[in-house]
Amino acid sequence: MVLPELPDIIVLTRSMNTVLPGRTITDAKINQPKVLNMTAKDFISLITGRMILQSRQRGKWILVDLDDSLVLAFNLGMGGHIMLHTSEETPNPQKERVVLQLDDKKQLWIHFWWFGHVHLIKSKDIHDHKQIGKLGIEPLSDEFTKDCLSAILSGRRGRIKSYLLNQHLIAGIGNVYVQDILWRARLHPQRKANTLSDVDISLLHEAILITLQEGIRYSGGPKERDIWGNEGHYPEHYRVAYRTGKACPRCQSTIEQIRVGSTTSYICPQCQT
Ligand SMILES: [Zn+2]
């Protein structure tokens, strides 16, 4: 079970935008109040009657703009999904943490195992949110240039992998997509960031863009689902991620699994030095 990352969130928000804009939330059922940033009573009272506008990705968060200048912010955590169901279906209260009723009689089930959040925030306060407000740059934004990446890594003596996963620096990359990003850039995950040459940084910048865009093109990662429940196909296109013992698609060397800090890494020992 893995956490949804930027491509998975984009795939989900795009599917949400095909059906949710214009729908009004008519009721909410809270099966796990601790996922909220307020009491269940306040949450239900604030969200009832709100119309859903657009859904968008920010880091590993899903932000749903509502009317009345509110934002519903989801962080799905481990094994999380947001799925649309008909009124005939009955959610399992042990699994569906929050259920939103919509005015077309459909329901949105918000499901996750742990670490998830369902926060209701005033739009003007989003930059002060204690997690969302601290997120780093969006790697698929126009502002994320090669020079920007170079500035982010400048003077940093730790492992390159740790900086790529640090949400306060670059938002949205996790332990699935980072594997193929490092392989594409021919960088060992333990490589010290301040030893990267200008060429290395160019390759890394390109690898981030290509890998994340490929994740979106193949509808996201393992067990990630869109609002209809369709699973992502990116795992069929993994280069080194989760492919221990298989051949590197570039040089045919055997892919190895190593520990880097508290995370697992998959590397080609020939390509990534
Ligand atoms: Zn290789």
Side-chain angles (χ1 to χ4, degrees):
M1 200 100 55
V2 293
L3 295 155
E5 301 178 26
L6 183 151
D8 315 316
I9 305 283
I10 289 193
V11 168
L12 175 58
T13 53
R14 283 182 183 171
S15 72
M16 290 168 77
N17 284 334
T18 64
V19 279
L20 297 182
R23 296 267 66 89
T24 296
I25 298 165
T26 55
D27 198 6
K29 175 102 180 72
I30 314 299
N31 292 321
Q32 196 189 60
K34 70 175 184 188
V35 307
L36 304 176
N37 60 335
M38 58 184 69
T39 66
K41 188 165 168 275
D42 286 347
F43 182 88
I44 294 167
S45 131
L46 275 170
I47 206 159
T48 302
R50 298 282 56 82
M51 186 190 280
I52 298 173
L53 306 173
Q54 288 289 308
S55 300
R56 55 203 163 92
Q57 167 270 337
R58 175 77 178 103
K60 297 177 184 174
W61 287 77
I62 296 149
L63 304 182
V64 182
D65 293 318
L66 306 175
D67 66 353
D68 215 18
S69 302
L70 287 170
V71 178
L72 184 57
F74 297 105
N75 192 301
L76 294 179
M78 207 66 90
H81 303 124
I82 296 178
M83 281 171 56
L84 198 62
H85 291 267
T86 63
S87 56
E88 289 82 51
E89 295 171 275
T90 310
N92 176 347
Q94 304 295 319
K95 289 186 174 169
E96 312 308 327
R97 310 307 192 185
V98 173
V99 175
L100 301 178
Q101 301 292 337
L102 305 177
D103 61 344
D104 61 355
K105 306 291 179 213
K106 293 218 168 64
Q107 13 176 3
L108 265 190
W109 296 4
I110 294 100
H111 170 104
F112 41 75
W113 293 102
W114 69 82
F115 299 143
H117 302 291
V118 179
H119 289 180
L120 193 55
I121 312 160
K122 287 188 181 132
S123 309
K124 67 176 175 60
D125 294 338
I126 197 132
H127 301 293
D128 300 322
H129 184 272
K130 68 179 192 308
Q131 288 141 298
I132 300 167
K134 293 191 182 117
L135 291 173
I137 192 163
E138 283 294 328
L140 294 184
S141 67
D142 291 343
E143 292 73 38
F144 185 71
T145 58
K146 184 210 145 191
D147 288 344
C148 170
L149 177 62
S150 183
I152 287 169
L153 298 177
S154 168
R156 296 193 188 267
R157 280 173 276 177
R159 300 179 193 105
I160 183 63
K161 186 183 180 189
S162 318
Y163 299 123
L164 295 177
L165 295 181
N166 184 332
Q167 300 302 298
H168 299 158
L169 299 177
I170 304 171
I173 300 172
N175 202 44
V176 172
Y177 294 95
V178 76
Q179 312 290 347
D180 290 343
I181 288 173
L182 289 167
W183 173 83
R184 266 204 176 84
R186 298 173 181 258
L187 292 173
H188 193 283
Q190 313 256 34
R191 181 80 177 269
K192 301 281 183 263
N194 62 356
T195 67
L196 264 60
S197 69
D198 207 44
V199 173
D200 289 332
I201 290 178
S202 284
L203 284 173
L204 179 59
H205 178 257
E206 190 179 86
I208 292 170
L209 301 192
I210 292 175
T211 306
L212 296 177
Q213 281 158 355
E214 201 165 84
I216 297 167
R217 186 168 350 117
Y218 295 120
S219 314
K223 306 285 172 208
E224 301 302 341
R225 293 164 190 256
D226 67 11
I227 198 171
W228 312 108
N230 299 310
E231 284 192 18
H233 294 289
Y234 182 68
E236 296 158 30
H237 304 273
Y238 282 153
R239 301 310 200 279
V240 291
Y242 304 95
R243 296 188 67 240
T244 314
K246 303 214 170 91
C248 166
R250 190 158 45 207
C251 74
Q252 310 306 315
S253 297
T254 304
I255 294 164
E256 293 175 359
Q257 184 177 333
I258 60 167
R259 283 307 275 182
V260 177
S262 61
T263 63
T264 301
S265 278
Y266 303 86
I267 59 155
C268 168
Q270 286 301 314
C271 294
Q272 295 171 261
T273 53

